[in-house]
Amino acid sequence: MAHTAPQDALKTLETAFEKADIPGIRTLLPPLENAHPTDVRLKVARARLRAVDGDVGAAITLLEKHVADPKDGALARAYLGALLVAQRRHADGRVHLEAALAAGADVPAGRHALGVALLALGHARDSVAHLAKAAERMPSSAPTHFYLGVAMAELAQWEHAATALGAAIRLQPSYEEAYDAASRVELARGNADRAKAILQEGLAAAKDSPILLRAQAQVCSQLGDARGALSALQKLPAKDLSAEDRTNLALMSMGVGDGGSALRHAEAAVKADALSHRAQYALGLALEAQKPLPRPKMLAAYRKAVELGDPLGDAGTRLGFVLMEEDTPAAATEAVKVLEAAVTRSGQAPGSVLNLALAYARSKDAAKAKAMCNTILADA
């Protein structure tokens, strides 16, 4: 009995993997395993098949047993690294993949996985080098072209990014993430109409895709098309609506003057995620639009948004403004406090600075009010 399987049999088996011919793999592999029970390359093939079957844990365990093999351990390490990357264990996968490459196990799936890991770890330039090689060797791999396009976009190489993402879409016409990424690339290139067209093409191929409807809403919003953005999000099935979706629906409804819908969506957003500062902020805005004004509830929503972080200072700016309407010493003191924080969080956004100047004036602090006014004039 030979210890190693013949090369022609291994080549046939690898071709079956490349074609995703799972029935063929199931037919070819067992006789080879029986004839060559110690061949590590067949152990690797068995692990790959287990991963395809969804038993990734067993595949990883099997590969870990053979990474130290002096002859084919590097091959086992390459596929182990690829599986770890697929599990989003990018740093662990990178260690194995780089070691496998250094030991001579240069397999296309390993190059792809290393590129994905490096991209996730913030090394886009190094990622491109590996993904480009993987794409050359796996020209029919839509995911490889997709990640290559994303990496190119990270480097602002828009033309190359558009080409790679276009290839991914041609290879897999229902590739939602590729349409999304391609539209973002076109926006970055200043081609707003093309960005919208790409998303329309994607929605025709992947009907009612939540990913693409959200992307369409974002593009419309960036282009100032509030009604188009709202229309896109309204097409999302209720079961797919996240707290973030509901928050955006509330804010977009406010943008088109529909306070009733805004309140309904904002309340649903807070119910779905009471710890979302954006949901609480949207609720404050929606309540502020109601007549008669439910002032205590509105103030509570804005205060909760500030308490939860308010990273851009939006809620603090609005809270400070409405507090100044009360014209009481306590409200003036609170307004100054929240607006000082809002100015810092917003990076001295003009609206926050102006409201803080007014709050200082209301609290009879003329010197600070003047300083804030000077800040506004200096930035004008």
Side-chain angles (χ1 to χ4, degrees), residues 66-252:
H66 298 288
V67 294
D69 182 81
K71 184 171 180 289
D72 295 307
L75 182 66
R77 193 177 292 280
Y79 283 103
L80 172 60
L83 284 180
L84 292 173
V85 170
Q87 295 293 298
R88 299 186 182 277
R89 294 171 57 184
H90 298 113
D92 293 338
R94 176 187 179 182
V95 170
H96 286 290
L97 290 162
E98 289 181 336
L101 269 178
D106 186 0
V107 297
R111 285 280 186 184
H112 167 95
L114 182 53
V116 172
L118 289 168
L119 179 61
L121 294 169
H123 305 293
R125 195 168 301 280
D126 293 333
S127 170
V128 164
H130 293 289
L131 289 167
K133 289 181 180 179
E136 288 176 6
R137 296 167 66 184
M138 298 191 297
S140 298
S141 170
T144 301
H145 289 285
F146 167 72
Y147 282 109
L148 178 58
V150 172
M152 289 291 192
E154 286 286 317
L155 299 174
Q157 296 183 15
W158 307 120
E159 189 68 34
H160 293 302
T163 298
L165 292 167
I169 290 169
R170 284 192 298 276
L171 289 164
Q172 188 176 322
S174 61
Y175 204 153
E176 300 161 277
E177 294 84 355
Y179 287 105
D180 182 12
S183 73
R184 294 174 192 274
V185 166
E186 294 304 329
L187 272 182
R189 299 170 78 187
N191 299 332
D193 289 341
R194 179 58 186 145
K196 292 173 73 173
I198 286 172
L199 290 174
Q200 289 291 353
E201 292 166 12
L203 285 165
K207 188 173 176 58
D208 296 331
S209 158
I211 290 174
L212 296 180
L213 287 171
R214 291 185 181 105
Q216 188 177 55
Q218 185 176 17
V219 169
C220 288
S221 181
Q222 289 178 338
L223 297 175
D225 181 5
R227 293 192 181 280
L230 182 60
S231 175
L233 281 187
Q234 286 173 333
K235 293 175 184 175
L236 284 170
K239 65 180 178 60
D240 291 328
L241 286 173
S242 65
E244 186 73 7
D245 292 327
R246 295 182 187 279
T247 298
N248 289 332
L249 279 165
L251 294 172
M252 290 172 184

Side-chain angles (χ1 to χ4, degrees), residues 308-340:
L308 291 170
D310 189 27
L312 299 179
D314 296 324
T317 299
R318 197 66 205 159
L319 175 59
F321 178 83
V322 296
L323 283 168
M324 284 189 285
E325 294 175 336
E326 294 185 10
D327 200 21
T328 65
T333 298
E334 184 183 358
V336 167
K337 182 179 178 181
V338 297
L339 284 165
E340 285 176 339

Side-chain angles (χ1 to χ4, degrees), residues 327-329 332-333 336 356-370:
D327 200 21
T328 65
T333 298
V336 167
L356 181 55
L358 291 172
Y360 282 141
R362 290 285 180 89
S363 62
K364 306 296 191 276
D365 193 335
K368 287 185 178 179
K370 182 178 179 181

